[in-house]
Amino acid sequence: MLDEAISKRKRTRIQTVNREAILQAALSVFSAYGYRGATLDEIAEKAGMSKPNLLYYFPRKKSLYVAVLEETLAQWLAPLAAMKADGDPADELSRYIDAKIAMSRDNPAASRLFASEILQGGGAITEFLHGPLKAIVDEKSRIIADWIAAGRLRPVDPRHLIFMIWATTQHYADFDVQVRAVLASDDEGRFKHASETIRRVVLEGLLPR
């Protein structure tokens, strides 16, 4: 972590911009063609730079692929990390659900790429899954367990609650074509309605009666 922070400080502004452009281009190409079908040539072209320039930042396709996945996971975990122990459980869970739906709306390619990697065993991000991801889920599960012990929520397995929120919110990215087909609409209001429905089901099931 310290080495990574030092590395980030040493980057120039143009290096930061270029790295972000590469990651965005790689996300688009990997999500469209998968790891095997994607090429560094296509990613470099989409990023608007030469392949040698891309290789300066990411010398191997695998390192770029892992960076895209880890960047995606870091962004997804940020709203969960923001869950406050001293906050109101209903407000904290509502904010988390809204944030996850917004991510499915704004960056569906990232969700689909991650789902594809997990379906293939998650080998490229094993360390991240067993490290940072598990750590944040364990930490927030303890907060939820404390809310339950204090009578602020009805009893539920905290980890499975988090899994359920992931499943319901990411559905709107991973199965977007199916959702639009069933709703017979491309109306962006589907995300607002989805968030409202998920919040209502979760909170009515959890809040003390």
Side-chain angles (χ1 to χ4, degrees):
M1 288 294 185
L2 179 59
D3 289 342
E4 182 179 355
I6 293 172
S7 176
K8 286 182 178 179
R9 286 200 298 270
K10 288 182 177 178
R11 290 176 194 156
T12 65
R13 185 184 65 83
I14 190 64
Q15 286 174 332
T16 300
V17 169
N18 283 347
R19 188 176 188 278
E20 183 59 28
I22 293 169
L23 289 173
Q24 288 299 317
L27 170 60
S28 176
V29 175
F30 282 133
S31 64
Y33 303 107
Y35 176 73
R36 292 183 179 178
T39 68
L40 290 178
D41 293 279
E42 185 168 3
I43 293 170
E45 181 179 356
K46 196 168 189 66
M49 63 181 64
S50 67
K51 184 177 178 180
N53 196 13
L54 181 151
L55 292 173
Y56 170 80
Y57 294 91
F58 297 97
R60 295 179 300 279
K61 184 169 76 167
K62 182 65 173 290
S63 63
L64 177 53
Y65 179 68
V66 171
V68 170
L69 288 169
E70 291 189 347
E71 181 86 2
T72 295
L73 279 169
Q75 292 173 3
W76 282 356
L77 290 176
L80 183 58
M83 185 180 288
K84 298 178 292 185
D86 59 354
D88 178 75
D91 291 341
E92 296 299 316
L93 290 170
S94 292
R95 275 194 290 269
Y96 184 51
I97 290 168
D98 287 345
K100 287 290 291 174
I101 282 288
M103 289 177 170
S104 286
R105 179 195 64 211
D106 299 336
N107 200 2
S111 182
R112 290 194 284 268
L113 179 62
F114 175 71
S116 175
E117 172 60 25
I118 292 299
L119 286 172
Q120 295 177 60
I125 49 172
T126 297
E127 291 185 9
F128 195 105
L129 296 176
H130 289 273
L133 184 141
K134 185 179 187 305
I136 193 66
V137 171
D138 287 347
E139 177 188 341
K140 300 309 173 179
S141 292
R142 286 191 291 270
I143 289 176
I144 296 170
D146 288 343
W147 288 338
I148 293 168
R152 303 177 73 187
L153 293 178
R154 299 174 69 193
V156 67
D157 185 304
R159 290 178 179 82
H160 287 289
L161 172 62
I162 293 172
F163 293 159
M164 185 178 72
I165 292 173
W166 289 353
T168 53
T169 56
Q170 287 168 222
H171 176 89
Y172 291 89
D174 301 343
F175 292 87
D176 178 63
V177 172
Q178 174 179 274
V179 169
R180 286 187 284 111
V182 172
L183 295 178
S185 171
D186 286 331
D187 181 10
E188 288 297 300
R190 68 185 182 278
F191 295 103
K192 178 176 181 291
H193 297 151
S195 189
E196 291 171 348
T197 300
I198 296 168
R199 278 190 277 111
R200 181 175 180 180
V201 171
V202 169
L203 295 180
E204 287 189 1
L206 287 177
L207 294 179
R209 296 176 182 176

